[in-house]
Amino acid sequence: MIHLLASIKQVPDTTNIRIDPETGSMIRKGVPAILNPYDAHAVAAAAEWKRKLDGKLTVITMGPPAAKEALQECIEMGADRAILISDRKFAGSDTLATSYVLAEAIRKIDQDDPVDLVFFGKQAIDGDTAQVGPGAAIRLGLPLITYAVEISEINVDEKYAVIVRKTESGKEIIQTSLPAALTAEKAIAEIPYAALPDLITSLKFIPEVWSADEPLAYDENQIGLSGSPTMVAKSGTPEAHEPAETISVAEQGLSGAVEIILGKMLSNSSVASLLEELK
Amino acid sequence: MTRRFWVFIEQNQGKMHPVAAELLGVANQLVSEIADELQASGEETSVEGILVGHNVTDIAQEAIQYGAQRIHKIDSPAFEHYLNRPYAEALTHLVKKYQPEVFLIGATTLGRDLAGAVATSLKTGLTADCTKLEMGHFRKIEKKLLLATRPAFGGNVIATIVCKDHLPQMATVRPRVFETPARNAKAEGEILEEEFEVKPEMMAAKLVEFIKDNNAQLNLEYADIIVSGGKGLGNPDGFKLIKELADELGGVVGSSRAAVDGGWIDYAHQVGQTGKHVRPKLYVACGISGAIQHKVGMQDSDYILAINTDPNAPIFEVATLGVVGDLYEVIPEMIKQLRAQKGASS
Ligand SMILES: Cc1cc2nc3c(=O)[nH]c(=O)nc-3n(C[C@H](O)[C@H](O)[C@H](O)COP(=O)(O)OP(=O)(O)OC[C@H]3O[C@@H](n4cnc5c(N)ncnc54)[C@H](O)[C@@H]3O)c2cc1C
Ligand SMILES: Nc1ncnc2c1ncn2[C@@H]1O[C@H](COP(=O)(O)O)[C@@H](O)[C@H]1O
């Protein structure tokens, strides 16, 4: 039976973030936490394939206790098992430490119940780093397909998958042996409406919780702040700019206003020479 | 010991990615920022390009012309096409051999795929999508560190990241965030042939087929003139007018994310934090409010003209010149007057 695994993260909804203009820090109060959108699509794809192949889907997350809501959403989409890796000792983990925690967890799950394909989101929208997936994959020694937009085939018997990834110049069709890992673009699958049985399961959902000591004893030098090589030296809000000179159509009339702006634009030598080349 | 500043020379199908030149410019700038330390310690520095591929000697020369003093080159058929594992293992091997102080990689699709894997293998820190890089002091640490500044939380916060106890200090930078340095056709440098054996287990994933995307020809990042449309167009047809002005000016079409999310135009056209970083000579923003995530992607443009009905739109804060007016009136009038001027001068 095929075993798929998705690694997901709960993130603040960055579209709703506000910054305290005095302190420059983020106002977390009232900012909803959501399942990272790319991860949601990754889970949707994983759920689709687990149904198609009659397999099993496990989801994991490292985060605070509240991250269980994000796992619950995955159960709604059809995940069979959900693990919350949560401990104060993990606080302050950067991408290197996070990839360690996740890779070790995946290794442990794999020992008891071999994993065939690991799904990550392309990136988490809070940091947009896109580092955790590649980091965890290399720790596990798995072939990695990033920016996956389609899974065309998973062959359980012959243990390979065909995955399409998107690059700047086009699409690459990659054949990989299994086990393997991918990072998902949104295009990989549509988010489905929850099926009724899954909804009912999710209502009774209680995650399995793993700490830094149980069932896995993490190396304390590789987690949290002490396991994170990067640190924030300072942070603030982006610089403000002076407003530009504006010309108003209401005041100058249409042709007058356009005459003024074209005149000003063309008095800029670099713009003028660019447009000159056209003629 | 030589303090090495490394740049990954990304290449594809016999062409160097322009971001490699931009990063060589940055690396030389960083080296100049530690001139004082070098004078005191007598240490040497070198800006070095790391080039992996097949038949890439011409690219090595090009990188030298953009400021690499030395190139470490792995040239073998096994590296003809990019694949995560073999490339990541090859770079990890080179880093362990030479122990560079700083390692910069372009935040392209390929570069992001690679950088996370390499940094993890080396157990070092990596700062993604930096918008500013400098060598400077942190706390009481004697030696200057790489201070890597990047936006976080959707661009609402700007954070400076350091990696103080691990080497190399790694960072990725998106194309066009930094300027292309001048090319010196007479520059000379050393090319070192490096060896790396690709083991079969590194080749578990294989490229079966490549389907070229014609939209990719757009080359928005490197366009000199961009005319962008946003939600203020009101409907997808508005992009016809944007295209008409772009054609008149000899430019290409860009857009805000709201227009892409609305399905009005392909993502390839999106400018901004989650789209392309651009620095054209002329950027015309039409019906774009100027959200922070849009501004970070276009504020390096030389000349910005903004057209918006709302006099308080934040886009006017980064514009060189603004027009408060309806784009459906202003653009056709611009096209008319531009055509009249052309007619008059020819
Ligand atoms: C994590 C994150 C990443 C993001 N990344 C990006 C990104 O890469 N790029 C990006 O663009 N956005 C990005 N966004 C979205 C961004 O916050 C804004 O929502 C988006 O840029 C708004 O697009 P807009 O200016 O077209 O639309 P709106 O904000 O709706 O602005 C429309 C403007 O058009 C004007 N207007 C209306 N009618 C007319 C008319 N007839 N003539 C002239 N003007 C008119 C209005 O006054 C208004 O200012 C991101 C957001 C988040 C949270
Ligand atoms: N704390 C976490 N728990 C589980 N998965 C994570 C976590 N952080 C990141 N990921 C996974 O790694 C991907 C990339 O995250 P990032 O490198 O932070 O952009 C996400 O889309 C998730 O799939």
Side-chain angles (χ1 to χ4, degrees), chain B residues 111-127:
Chain B
R112 292 179 128 215
D113 181 281
L114 185 59
V118 174
T120 308
S121 292
L122 294 165
K123 307 276 184 296
T124 191
L126 167 65
T127 307

Side-chain angles (χ1 to χ4, degrees), chain A residues 7-9 36 39 61-62 102 120-121 123-124 129-132:
Chain A
S7 178
I8 61 116
K9 187 179 188 186
N36 180 41
D39 301 356
T61 189
M62 178 188 89
L102 297 174
F120 294 93
Q123 61 199 49
T129 71
Q131 288 166 11
V132 170

Side-chain angles (χ1 to χ4, degrees), chain A residues 87 89 100 212-213 217-228:
Chain A
D87 199 308
K89 291 179 189 158
Y100 164 69
D213 308 300
Y218 281 102
D219 171 6
E220 302 212 354
N221 294 319
Q222 294 194 59
I223 61 174
L225 284 175
S226 52
S228 299

Side-chain angles (χ1 to χ4, degrees), chain B residues 231 256-258 270-274 287 289 293-294 308 326-327:
Chain B
K231 194 78 178 291
S256 71
R257 182 160 108 177
Q270 183 179 316
V271 171
Q273 186 184 321
T274 45
S289 62
Q293 298 89 0
H294 190 78
N308 199 303
D326 186 337
L327 68 93

Side-chain angles (χ1 to χ4, degrees), chain B residues 49-119:
Chain B
I50 306 307
L51 179 58
V52 181
H54 184 44
N55 293 332
V56 287
T57 306
D58 288 352
I59 294 172
Q61 290 300 348
E62 190 177 346
I64 288 168
Q65 293 176 359
Y66 280 113
Q69 287 161 261
R70 190 176 289 139
I71 303 288
H72 299 276
K73 177 160 82 76
I74 299 180
D75 204 326
S76 122
F79 292 105
E80 168 125 39
H81 298 292
Y82 174 78
L83 280 170
N84 176 274
R85 263 303 278 290
Y87 268 67
E89 305 256 6
L91 291 200
T92 304
H93 159 79
L94 289 179
V95 168
K96 286 187 175 154
K97 184 167 168 193
Y98 292 101
Q99 306 191 351
E101 177 168 339
V102 165
F103 193 1
L104 307 178
I105 298 179
T108 57
T109 306
L110 188 159
R112 292 179 128 215
D113 181 281
L114 185 59
V118 174

